[in-house]
Amino acid sequence: MIFKTLRSFGLIPLAAYGLLLGVSSFADDPSKDVRVEKASAVEVPAPETSAPAPGSEGDTLTKEDARMALLIYKLLDKDGKFRNPNLNRGEKLFYQNCRPCHGEDGRRMNLGTYAKPVYLGERARTDLPTFWYQMNFGDGGRNMEAYYDEFTVNEMVDIAAYAQTFQ
């Protein structure tokens, strides 16, 4: 899956991936079409210069890609920190929804290995793309529920920012 690959590279490649989703360097010059076609009389149409409307038939951006791009381009500042989180609301939402599994301090569940334990706070601080993906879309292997439809984006930002405060 994409988040496993992105986890190993960090935020910069994720930002580059998001940039590739929305911008094509070949869009303005059809002669730079790099697709290889078999020799035939069929013409390859030039790429469209405008993006399809969100949700339209031509829109191929998945909800996972859209949420990941949103994280990078809208929710984080230039230093990779959340913009204006409400930590009080994050704490309240964490205690209502996350504490039963993750514990009071985020250390009830080891997300790493026995030899190298990783707890919620460290995951939220050092592997934000994976943390954000799992919070949005869950992780069946760990019985993590998906909260994509349960919380607003702002509430998820608040929970994630609060989780980053754990040691």
Side-chain angles (χ1 to χ4, degrees):
M1 295 183 87
I2 190 169
F3 77 91
K4 288 181 181 177
T5 302
L6 294 175
R7 174 178 54 197
S8 64
F9 293 112
L11 292 177
I12 293 175
L14 180 60
Y17 173 74
L19 184 62
L20 290 173
L21 292 175
V23 178
S24 171
S25 61
F26 300 105
D28 295 328
D29 187 356
S31 68
K32 290 185 179 176
D33 190 353
V34 295
R35 290 180 287 171
V36 177
E37 299 288 328
K38 291 183 178 179
S40 69
V42 177
E43 268 188 50
V44 176
E48 292 184 27
T49 58
S50 63
S56 71
E57 187 175 320
D59 181 15
T60 59
L61 191 66
T62 65
K63 66 182 180 180
E64 289 89 351
D65 290 338
R67 272 290 167 113
M68 296 306 287
L70 177 68
L71 172 68
I72 301 304
Y73 291 107
K74 300 286 185 188
L75 303 178
L76 300 176
D77 64 18
K78 64 183 172 82
D79 298 321
K81 305 290 183 202
F82 284 107
R83 297 173 194 244
N84 305 318
N86 181 335
L87 293 177
N88 290 328
R89 180 170 65 175
E91 179 181 21
K92 179 181 175 188
L93 290 169
F94 179 87
Y95 280 98
Q96 289 173 347
N97 300 281
C98 311
R99 180 177 46 113
C101 294
H102 294 286
E104 298 278 331
D105 59 358
R107 296 180 68 88
R108 180 178 288 160
M109 187 178 295
N110 178 3
L111 305 172
T113 64
Y114 180 75
K116 185 169 178 4
V118 175
Y119 297 103
L120 194 67
E122 182 179 350
R123 171 67 53 88
R125 285 188 310 279
T126 63
D127 193 2
L128 187 56
T130 299
F131 181 89
W132 185 255
Y133 185 94
Q134 289 175 331
M135 189 168 68
N136 276 269
F137 305 109
D139 184 347
R142 295 195 165 142
N143 294 322
M144 170 72 183
E145 296 288 326
Y147 288 98
Y148 182 83
D149 294 324
E150 299 292 321
F151 298 114
T152 67
V153 171
N154 289 337
E155 288 171 331
M156 287 192 165
V157 164
D158 297 341
I159 294 167
Y162 179 71
Q164 288 179 330
T165 68
F166 293 144
Q167 293 302 315

